[in-house]
C-alpha cells in the first residue's frame, strides 16, 4: 500500500466509524441480502442453484453498470487490477454460495459465509498494513460469530439436527472469502477517490459478463416462467442492484472490518424469513443466538464520538507548538 493511500485511509477512519448513515446503509443492505435464500427457494424445480444466483448477478450487475456509466473510472493499471480482482471475486460468490445453500440449507450456508467474512476481513486488513482491528471490533465480532453459531446449531442442540455437509461448509467459507476480497477491493478504490457508484457498477458489470456462461449452460427456458422471472427480478433488483448501491455508500463511510461484521445481520433476517415465509421452525437456542448476534451488532452501531477527540487534540497541539503557543489540555 502506498504511503499516500495509507495516510488517506488513516485520516478517514474516525469519520467512517462514527457515520450513522454508513452503518444504516450496510444494515439495510444486509436485510435485503437476507431475503436471498428465501427468494431462491421459489425458483422452478430442477434449476441448478448456481445458475439461479448467476442469473440474479447477470441482470443485477448489468443494471448497476448501466446506471453508473456517467461515473467512469480513470485508466489506471493499479485501479483496473483491483477492479479485476474484485470482479472475479463477485463472480465466484454466487457459484459457491448458492450450491452451499443447496447442500447445507439457507441458515448454515449463510452463517458460515457471513460468519467467516469478518475474520477474513480483520486478518486481511492487518496483513495489508491497516493496523490491528480495534477492541470494539473484536468484541462485536466474537459476539456476532457466537450468536450465528448458536443460531445454526440450535436444532442440533435440541436433538433435531441433520448431519452437516463438509463440502457445503467449504463452499460457504469460500463464498465468505470472496465476499471479503471484493469488499476490500471496493473499499480501496473508494478510498482512492473513485465514486462508489462507479466502483460497484464497473465491478459488477464485469462480473455479470463472467457469470453469463453459467446461466447459458444451465439453459434459459426457466427464466421465461412466472416463478423464474419473479425470482430473478427480486435477486437482480433488490439483493443485487439496490443492496450493492447501499453497500457501496456504506463502504465510503464505514471500515471494511466493521462492514463485514454488520452484514452478520443477514443470517438473522434469513432465519426470520424462513420462519415467517417458508414455514421453518427455530428452537429456543436459535432465538437466543439471534439475540447475542443483535448485541454484537449494537456494539458496532452505537456512536463512539470519543475516538475523534484525540486526533483533533493532537492536530491542535501540533499547530500550537509550531506557532509558539501553549498546547491545549
Amino acid at each position: 500500500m502506498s504511503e499516500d493511500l495509507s495516510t488517506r485511509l488513516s485520516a478517514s477512519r474516525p469519520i467512517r466509524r462514527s457515520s450513522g448513515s454508513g452503518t444504516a446503509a450496510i444494515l439495510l443492505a444486509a436485510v435485503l441480502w437476507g431475503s436471498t435464500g428465501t427468494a431462491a427457494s421459489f425458483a422452478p424445480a430442477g434449476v441448478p442453484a448456481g445458475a439461479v444466483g448467476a442469473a440474479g448477478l447477470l441482470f443485477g450487475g448489468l443494471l448497476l453498470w448501466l446506471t453508473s456509466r456517467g461515473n467512469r473510472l480513470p485508466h489506471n493499471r493499479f485501479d483496473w487490477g483491483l477492479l479485476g480482482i474484485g470482479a472475479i471475486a463477485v463472480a465466484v460468490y454466487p457459484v459457491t454460495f448458492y450450491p452451499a445453500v443447496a447442500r447445507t440449507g439457507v441458515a448454515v450456508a449463510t452463517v458460515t459465509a457471513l460468519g467467516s467474512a469478518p475474520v477474513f476481513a480483520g486478518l486481511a486488513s492487518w496483513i495489508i498494513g491497516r493496523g490491528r482491528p480495534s477492541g470494539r471490533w473484536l468484541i462485536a465480532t466474537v459476539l456476532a460469530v457466537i450468536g450465528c453459531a448458536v443460531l445454526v446449531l440450535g436444532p442440533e442442540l435440541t436433538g433435531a439436527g441433520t448431519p452437516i455437509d463438509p463440502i457445503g461448509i467449504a463452499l460457504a467459507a469460500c463464498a465468505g472469502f470472496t465476499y471479503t476480497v471484493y469488499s476490500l477491493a471496493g473499499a480501496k478504490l473508494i478510498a482512492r477517490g473513485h465514486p462508489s457508484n462507479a466502483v460497484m457498477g464497473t465491478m459488477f458489470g464485469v462480473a455479470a459478463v463472467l457469470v453469463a456462461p453459467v446461466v447459458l449452460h444451465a439453459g434459459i427456458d426457466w427464466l421465461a416462467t412466472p416463478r423464474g422471472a419473479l425470482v430473478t427480478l427480486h435477486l437482480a433488483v433488490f439483493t443485487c442492484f439496490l443492496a450493492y448501491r447501499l453497500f457501496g455508500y456504506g463502504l465510503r463511510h464505514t471500515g471494511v472490518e466493521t462492514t463485514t461484521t454488520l452484514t452478520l445481520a443477514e443470517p438473522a433476517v434469513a432465519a426470520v424469513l424462513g420462519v415467517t415465509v417458508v414455514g421453518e421452525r427455530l428452537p429456543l437456542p436459535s432465538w437466543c443466538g439471534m439475540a447475542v448476534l443483535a448485541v454484537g451488532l449494537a456494539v458496532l452501531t452505537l456512536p463512539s464520538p470519543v475516538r475523534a477527540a484525540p486526533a483533533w487534540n493532537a492536530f491542535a497541539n501540533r499547530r500550537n507548538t509550531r506557532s509558539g503557543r501553549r498546547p491545549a489540555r
Side-chain angles (χ1 to χ4, degrees), residues 77-147:
R77 287 187 178 181
F78 179 75
D79 291 349
W80 280 109
L82 284 177
L83 277 170
I85 293 172
I88 292 173
V90 170
V92 172
Y93 183 86
V95 298
T96 54
F97 176 72
Y98 286 88
V101 170
R103 299 182 73 100
T104 66
V106 175
V108 174
T110 303
V111 170
T112 302
L114 274 297
S116 62
V119 179
F120 289 132
L123 293 175
S125 295
W126 189 0
I127 291 171
I128 64 178
R130 291 182 59 188
R132 288 181 295 180
S134 66
R136 184 176 184 178
W137 172 87
L138 181 61
I139 293 172
T141 299
V142 169
L143 288 173
V145 171
I146 290 175

Coordinates of all heavy atoms in Angstrom, one line a residue, residues 77-147:
R77 N -3.6 1.4 -14.2 CA -3.4 -0.1 -14.2 C -3.7 -0.6 -12.8 O -4.3 -1.7 -12.7 CB -2.0 -0.4 -14.6 CG -1.7 -0.2 -16.1 CD -0.3 -0.7 -16.5 NE -0.1 -0.6 -17.9 CZ 1.0 -1.0 -18.5 NH1 2.0 -1.5 -17.7 NH2 1.2 -0.9 -19.8
F78 N -3.2 0.1 -11.8 CA -3.5 -0.4 -10.4 C -5.0 -0.5 -10.1 O -5.4 -1.5 -9.5 CB -2.8 0.5 -9.4 CG -2.9 0.0 -8.0 CD1 -2.3 -1.1 -7.5 CD2 -3.8 0.7 -7.1 CE1 -2.4 -1.5 -6.1 CE2 -4.0 0.3 -5.8 CZ -3.3 -0.8 -5.3
D79 N -5.7 0.6 -10.4 CA -7.1 0.6 -10.2 C -7.9 -0.5 -10.9 O -8.8 -1.2 -10.4 CB -7.7 1.9 -10.5 CG -7.2 3.0 -9.5 OD1 -6.6 2.7 -8.5 OD2 -7.4 4.2 -9.8
W80 N -7.5 -0.7 -12.2 CA -8.1 -1.7 -13.0 C -7.7 -3.1 -12.5 O -8.5 -4.1 -12.6 CB -7.8 -1.6 -14.5 CG -8.6 -0.5 -15.1 CD1 -8.2 0.7 -15.6 CD2 -10.0 -0.6 -15.4 NE1 -9.2 1.4 -16.1 CE2 -10.3 0.7 -16.0 CE3 -11.0 -1.5 -15.2 CZ2 -11.6 0.9 -16.4 CZ3 -12.3 -1.2 -15.6 CH2 -12.6 0.0 -16.2
G81 N -6.5 -3.2 -11.9 CA -6.2 -4.5 -11.3 C -7.1 -4.8 -10.1 O -7.5 -6.0 -10.0
L82 N -7.3 -3.8 -9.3 CA -8.2 -4.0 -8.2 C -9.6 -4.4 -8.7 O -10.3 -5.2 -8.1 CB -8.3 -2.7 -7.3 CG -7.1 -2.5 -6.4 CD1 -7.2 -1.1 -5.7 CD2 -6.9 -3.6 -5.4
L83 N -10.1 -3.7 -9.7 CA -11.4 -3.9 -10.2 C -11.5 -5.4 -10.8 O -12.5 -6.1 -10.6 CB -11.7 -3.0 -11.4 CG -12.3 -1.6 -10.9 CD1 -12.3 -0.6 -12.1 CD2 -13.7 -1.7 -10.3
G84 N -10.4 -5.8 -11.4 CA -10.4 -7.2 -12.0 C -10.5 -8.2 -10.9 O -11.3 -9.2 -10.9
I85 N -9.7 -8.0 -9.8 CA -9.7 -8.9 -8.7 C -11.1 -8.9 -8.0 O -11.7 -10.0 -7.7 CB -8.6 -8.6 -7.6 CG1 -7.2 -8.8 -8.2 CG2 -8.8 -9.4 -6.4 CD1 -6.1 -8.3 -7.4
G86 N -11.7 -7.7 -7.8 CA -13.0 -7.6 -7.2 C -14.1 -8.3 -8.1 O -14.9 -9.0 -7.6
A87 N -14.0 -8.1 -9.4 CA -15.0 -8.7 -10.3 C -14.9 -10.2 -10.3 O -16.0 -10.9 -10.3 CB -14.8 -8.1 -11.7
I88 N -13.7 -10.7 -10.3 CA -13.6 -12.2 -10.2 C -14.2 -12.7 -8.9 O -14.9 -13.7 -8.9 CB -12.1 -12.6 -10.4 CG1 -11.6 -12.3 -11.8 CG2 -12.0 -14.1 -10.1 CD1 -10.1 -12.5 -11.9
A89 N -13.9 -12.0 -7.8 CA -14.5 -12.5 -6.5 C -16.0 -12.4 -6.5 O -16.7 -13.3 -6.0 CB -13.9 -11.6 -5.4
V90 N -16.5 -11.3 -7.1 CA -18.0 -11.2 -7.2 C -18.6 -12.3 -8.0 O -19.6 -12.9 -7.7 CB -18.4 -9.8 -7.8 CG1 -19.9 -9.8 -8.2 CG2 -18.0 -8.7 -6.9
A91 N -17.9 -12.7 -9.1 CA -18.4 -13.8 -10.0 C -18.4 -15.1 -9.3 O -19.2 -16.0 -9.5 CB -17.6 -13.8 -11.3
V92 N -17.4 -15.3 -8.5 CA -17.2 -16.6 -7.8 C -18.2 -16.8 -6.7 O -18.7 -17.9 -6.4 CB -15.8 -16.8 -7.2 CG1 -15.6 -18.0 -6.4 CG2 -14.8 -16.8 -8.4
Y93 N -18.7 -15.7 -6.1 CA -19.6 -15.7 -4.9 C -20.8 -16.5 -5.2 O -21.1 -17.5 -4.4 CB -19.9 -14.3 -4.4 CG -20.8 -14.3 -3.2 CD1 -20.2 -14.4 -1.9 CD2 -22.1 -14.3 -3.3 CE1 -21.0 -14.4 -0.8 CE2 -22.9 -14.3 -2.1 CZ -22.3 -14.4 -0.9 OH -23.1 -14.4 0.3
P94 N -21.6 -16.2 -6.2 CA -22.9 -17.0 -6.4 C -22.7 -18.4 -6.8 O -23.5 -19.3 -6.4 CB -23.6 -16.2 -7.5 CG -22.5 -15.5 -8.3 CD -21.5 -15.1 -7.2
V95 N -21.6 -18.8 -7.5 CA -21.4 -20.2 -7.9 C -20.8 -21.0 -6.7 O -20.7 -22.2 -6.9 CB -20.5 -20.2 -9.1 CG1 -21.1 -19.5 -10.3 CG2 -19.1 -19.7 -8.8
T96 N -20.5 -20.4 -5.6 CA -20.1 -21.1 -4.4 C -21.2 -21.0 -3.3 O -21.5 -22.0 -2.7 CB -18.8 -20.6 -3.8 OG1 -18.9 -19.2 -3.6 CG2 -17.6 -20.9 -4.8
F97 N -21.8 -19.8 -3.2 CA -22.8 -19.7 -2.1 C -24.1 -20.4 -2.4 O -24.6 -21.1 -1.5 CB -23.1 -18.2 -1.9 CG -24.2 -17.9 -0.9 CD1 -23.9 -18.1 0.5 CD2 -25.4 -17.5 -1.3 CE1 -24.9 -17.8 1.4 CE2 -26.4 -17.3 -0.3 CZ -26.1 -17.4 1.0
Y98 N -24.6 -20.3 -3.6 CA -25.9 -21.0 -3.8 C -25.8 -22.5 -3.8 O -26.7 -23.2 -3.3 CB -26.5 -20.5 -5.1 CG -27.0 -19.1 -5.0 CD1 -26.2 -18.0 -5.2 CD2 -28.4 -18.9 -4.7 CE1 -26.7 -16.7 -5.1 CE2 -28.9 -17.6 -4.6 CZ -28.1 -16.5 -4.8 OH -28.6 -15.2 -4.7
P99 N -24.8 -23.1 -4.4 CA -24.6 -24.6 -4.1 C -24.4 -24.9 -2.7 O -24.9 -26.0 -2.2 CB -23.3 -24.9 -5.0 CG -23.3 -23.9 -6.0 CD -23.8 -22.6 -5.4
A100 N -23.8 -24.1 -1.9 CA -23.7 -24.3 -0.5 C -25.0 -24.3 0.2 O -25.3 -25.1 1.1 CB -22.8 -23.3 0.2
V101 N -25.9 -23.4 -0.2 CA -27.3 -23.4 0.3 C -28.0 -24.6 0.0 O -28.7 -25.2 0.8 CB -28.0 -22.1 -0.3 CG1 -29.5 -22.2 0.1 CG2 -27.4 -20.8 0.3
A102 N -27.8 -25.1 -1.3 CA -28.5 -26.4 -1.7 C -28.0 -27.6 -0.9 O -28.8 -28.5 -0.6 CB -28.3 -26.6 -3.2
R103 N -26.8 -27.6 -0.4 CA -26.2 -28.7 0.3 C -26.4 -28.7 1.8 O -26.5 -29.7 2.4 CB -24.7 -28.9 -0.1 CG -24.4 -29.1 -1.5 CD -22.9 -29.2 -1.7 NE -22.4 -30.5 -1.2 CZ -22.2 -31.6 -2.0 NH1 -22.3 -31.5 -3.3 NH2 -21.8 -32.7 -1.5
T104 N -26.4 -27.5 2.3 CA -26.4 -27.3 3.8 C -27.7 -26.6 4.3 O -27.9 -26.7 5.5 CB -25.2 -26.6 4.3 OG1 -25.3 -25.2 3.9 CG2 -23.9 -27.2 3.8
G105 N -28.4 -26.0 3.4 CA -29.6 -25.2 3.9 C -29.2 -23.7 4.0 O -28.1 -23.3 4.0
V106 N -30.3 -22.9 4.0 CA -30.1 -21.5 3.9 C -29.3 -21.0 5.2 O -28.4 -20.2 5.1 CB -31.5 -20.7 3.8 CG1 -31.3 -19.2 3.9 CG2 -32.1 -21.1 2.5
A107 N -29.8 -21.4 6.4 CA -29.2 -20.9 7.6 C -27.7 -21.2 7.7 O -26.9 -20.4 8.0 CB -30.0 -21.4 8.8
V108 N -27.4 -22.5 7.6 CA -26.0 -22.9 7.8 C -25.1 -22.3 6.7 O -24.0 -21.8 7.1 CB -25.9 -24.5 7.7 CG1 -24.4 -24.9 7.7 CG2 -26.7 -25.1 8.8
A109 N -25.5 -22.3 5.5 CA -24.6 -21.7 4.4 C -24.5 -20.2 4.7 O -23.4 -19.6 4.5 CB -25.3 -21.9 3.1
T110 N -25.6 -19.5 5.0 CA -25.5 -18.0 5.2 C -24.6 -17.7 6.4 O -23.8 -16.8 6.3 CB -26.9 -17.5 5.4 OG1 -27.7 -17.8 4.3 CG2 -26.8 -15.9 5.5
V111 N -24.8 -18.4 7.5 CA -24.0 -18.1 8.7 C -22.5 -18.4 8.5 O -21.6 -17.7 8.9 CB -24.5 -18.9 9.9 CG1 -23.6 -18.8 11.1 CG2 -25.9 -18.3 10.3
T112 N -22.2 -19.5 7.8 CA -20.8 -19.9 7.5 C -20.2 -18.9 6.6 O -19.0 -18.4 6.9 CB -20.7 -21.3 6.9 OG1 -21.4 -22.3 7.7 CG2 -19.3 -21.7 6.6
A113 N -20.8 -18.5 5.6 CA -20.3 -17.5 4.7 C -20.1 -16.1 5.3 O -19.0 -15.5 5.3 CB -21.2 -17.3 3.4
L114 N -21.1 -15.6 6.0 CA -21.1 -14.3 6.6 C -20.3 -14.3 7.9 O -19.7 -13.3 8.3 CB -22.5 -13.7 6.8 CG -23.1 -13.0 5.6 CD1 -22.3 -11.8 5.2 CD2 -23.2 -13.9 4.4
G115 N -20.4 -15.5 8.6 CA -19.6 -15.5 9.9 C -18.1 -15.6 9.7 O -17.4 -15.1 10.5
S116 N -17.7 -16.2 8.5 CA -16.2 -16.2 8.3 C -15.7 -14.9 7.7 O -14.5 -14.6 7.8 CB -15.9 -17.4 7.3 OG -16.6 -17.2 6.1
A117 N -16.6 -14.1 7.1 CA -16.1 -12.9 6.4 C -15.4 -11.9 7.4 O -14.4 -11.3 7.0 CB -17.3 -12.2 5.7
P118 N -16.0 -11.6 8.6 CA -15.3 -10.7 9.5 C -13.9 -11.1 9.9 O -13.0 -10.3 10.1 CB -16.2 -10.6 10.7 CG -17.5 -11.0 10.2 CD -17.3 -12.0 9.2
V119 N -13.7 -12.5 10.0 CA -12.4 -13.0 10.4 C -11.4 -12.8 9.2 O -10.3 -12.3 9.4 CB -12.5 -14.5 10.7 CG1 -11.1 -15.1 11.0 CG2 -13.5 -14.7 11.9
F120 N -11.9 -13.1 8.0 CA -11.0 -12.8 6.8 C -10.7 -11.4 6.7 O -9.6 -11.0 6.4 CB -11.7 -13.3 5.6 CG -11.8 -14.8 5.4 CD1 -13.0 -15.5 5.1 CD2 -10.7 -15.6 5.6 CE1 -13.1 -16.8 5.0 CE2 -10.8 -17.0 5.5 CZ -12.0 -17.6 5.2
A121 N -11.7 -10.5 6.9 CA -11.5 -9.1 6.7 C -10.5 -8.5 7.8 O -9.7 -7.7 7.4 CB -12.9 -8.3 6.9
G122 N -10.7 -8.9 9.0 CA -9.8 -8.4 10.1 C -8.4 -8.9 9.8 O -7.4 -8.1 9.9
L123 N -8.2 -10.1 9.4 CA -6.8 -10.6 9.1 C -6.2 -9.9 7.9 O -5.1 -9.6 7.9 CB -6.9 -12.1 8.9 CG -7.2 -13.0 10.2 CD1 -7.3 -14.4 9.8 CD2 -6.2 -12.8 11.3
A124 N -7.1 -9.8 6.9 CA -6.6 -9.1 5.6 C -6.2 -7.7 5.9 O -5.1 -7.2 5.4 CB -7.6 -9.2 4.5
S125 N -7.0 -7.0 6.6 CA -6.7 -5.6 6.9 C -5.4 -5.4 7.7 O -4.6 -4.5 7.5 CB -7.8 -4.9 7.7 OG -9.0 -4.9 6.9
W126 N -5.2 -6.4 8.6 CA -3.9 -6.4 9.4 C -2.7 -6.7 8.5 O -1.7 -6.0 8.6 CB -4.0 -7.5 10.5 CG -2.9 -7.4 11.5 CD1 -1.8 -6.6 11.6 CD2 -2.8 -8.3 12.6 NE1 -1.1 -6.9 12.7 CE2 -1.6 -7.9 13.3 CE3 -3.6 -9.4 13.1 CZ2 -1.2 -8.6 14.5 CZ3 -3.1 -10.0 14.3 CH2 -1.9 -9.6 15.0
I127 N -2.9 -7.7 7.6 CA -1.8 -8.1 6.7 C -1.4 -6.9 5.7 O -0.2 -6.7 5.5 CB -2.2 -9.3 5.9 CG1 -2.3 -10.5 6.9 CG2 -1.2 -9.6 4.8 CD1 -2.8 -11.8 6.2
I128 N -2.4 -6.2 5.2 CA -2.1 -5.2 4.2 C -1.6 -3.9 4.9 O -1.4 -2.9 4.2 CB -3.3 -4.9 3.3 CG1 -4.5 -4.3 4.1 CG2 -3.6 -6.2 2.5 CD1 -5.6 -4.0 3.2
G129 N -1.5 -3.9 6.2 CA -0.9 -2.7 6.9 C -1.8 -1.7 7.4 O -1.4 -0.6 7.7
R130 N -3.1 -2.0 7.6 CA -4.0 -1.0 8.1 C -4.1 -1.1 9.6 O -5.0 -0.4 10.2 CB -5.4 -1.3 7.5 CG -5.5 -0.9 6.1 CD -6.9 -1.1 5.5 NE -7.9 -0.3 6.2 CZ -9.2 -0.4 6.1 NH1 -9.7 -1.3 5.2 NH2 -10.0 0.4 6.7
G131 N -3.3 -1.9 10.2 CA -3.2 -2.0 11.7 C -4.1 -3.1 12.2 O -5.0 -3.6 11.5
R132 N -3.9 -3.4 13.5 CA -4.7 -4.5 14.1 C -6.2 -4.0 14.3 O -6.4 -2.8 14.6 CB -4.1 -4.9 15.4 CG -2.9 -5.7 15.3 CD -2.3 -6.1 16.6 NE -1.9 -5.0 17.4 CZ -1.3 -5.1 18.6 NH1 -1.2 -6.2 19.2 NH2 -0.9 -4.0 19.2
P133 N -7.1 -4.9 14.2 CA -8.5 -4.5 14.4 C -8.7 -3.9 15.8 O -8.0 -4.3 16.8 CB -9.3 -5.8 14.2 CG -8.4 -6.6 13.3 CD -7.0 -6.3 13.7
S134 N -9.6 -3.0 16.0 CA -9.9 -2.4 17.3 C -10.5 -3.4 18.3 O -11.1 -4.4 17.9 CB -10.8 -1.2 17.2 OG -12.1 -1.6 16.7
G135 N -10.4 -3.1 19.6 CA -11.0 -3.9 20.6 C -12.5 -4.0 20.4 O -13.1 -5.0 20.7
R136 N -13.1 -2.9 20.1 CA -14.6 -2.8 19.9 C -15.0 -3.8 18.7 O -16.0 -4.5 18.8 CB -15.0 -1.4 19.5 CG -16.5 -1.2 19.4 CD -16.8 0.3 19.2 NE -18.2 0.5 19.1 CZ -18.8 1.7 19.0 NH1 -18.0 2.7 18.9 NH2 -20.1 1.8 18.9
W137 N -14.2 -3.8 17.6 CA -14.5 -4.7 16.5 C -14.3 -6.1 17.0 O -15.2 -7.0 16.6 CB -13.5 -4.4 15.4 CG -13.6 -5.4 14.3 CD1 -14.5 -5.4 13.2 CD2 -12.8 -6.6 14.1 NE1 -14.3 -6.5 12.4 CE2 -13.3 -7.3 13.0 CE3 -11.8 -7.2 14.9 CZ2 -12.7 -8.5 12.6 CZ3 -11.3 -8.4 14.5 CH2 -11.7 -9.0 13.3
L138 N -13.3 -6.4 17.8 CA -13.1 -7.8 18.2 C -14.2 -8.3 19.1 O -14.7 -9.4 18.9 CB -11.8 -7.8 19.0 CG -11.3 -9.2 19.5 CD1 -11.2 -10.2 18.4 CD2 -10.1 -9.1 20.3
I139 N -14.7 -7.5 20.0 CA -15.8 -7.8 20.9 C -17.0 -8.1 20.1 O -17.7 -9.1 20.3 CB -16.0 -6.8 22.0 CG1 -14.8 -6.7 22.9 CG2 -17.3 -7.1 22.8 CD1 -14.9 -5.6 23.9
A140 N -17.3 -7.1 19.2 CA -18.6 -7.2 18.4 C -18.5 -8.4 17.5 O -19.5 -9.2 17.4 CB -18.7 -6.0 17.6
T141 N -17.4 -8.7 16.9 CA -17.2 -9.9 16.0 C -17.4 -11.2 16.8 O -18.1 -12.1 16.3 CB -15.9 -9.8 15.3 OG1 -15.8 -8.6 14.5 CG2 -15.8 -11.0 14.3
V142 N -16.7 -11.3 17.9 CA -16.8 -12.5 18.7 C -18.3 -12.8 19.1 O -18.8 -13.9 19.0 CB -15.9 -12.4 20.0 CG1 -16.3 -13.6 20.9 CG2 -14.5 -12.5 19.6
L143 N -19.0 -11.7 19.6 CA -20.4 -11.9 19.9 C -21.2 -12.3 18.7 O -22.1 -13.2 18.8 CB -20.9 -10.6 20.5 CG -20.4 -10.2 21.9 CD1 -20.9 -8.8 22.3 CD2 -20.9 -11.2 23.0
A144 N -21.0 -11.6 17.6 CA -21.8 -11.9 16.4 C -21.5 -13.3 15.9 O -22.5 -14.0 15.5 CB -21.5 -10.9 15.3
V145 N -20.3 -13.8 15.9 CA -20.0 -15.1 15.4 C -20.5 -16.2 16.3 O -21.1 -17.2 15.9 CB -18.4 -15.3 15.2 CG1 -18.1 -16.7 15.0 CG2 -17.9 -14.4 14.1
I146 N -20.4 -15.9 17.6 CA -21.0 -16.9 18.6 C -22.6 -16.9 18.4 O -23.2 -18.0 18.4 CB -20.7 -16.5 20.0 CG1 -19.2 -16.7 20.3 CG2 -21.5 -17.2 21.1 CD1 -18.8 -16.2 21.7
G147 N -23.2 -15.8 18.2 CA -24.6 -15.7 18.0 C -25.0 -16.5 16.8 O -26.0 -17.2 16.7

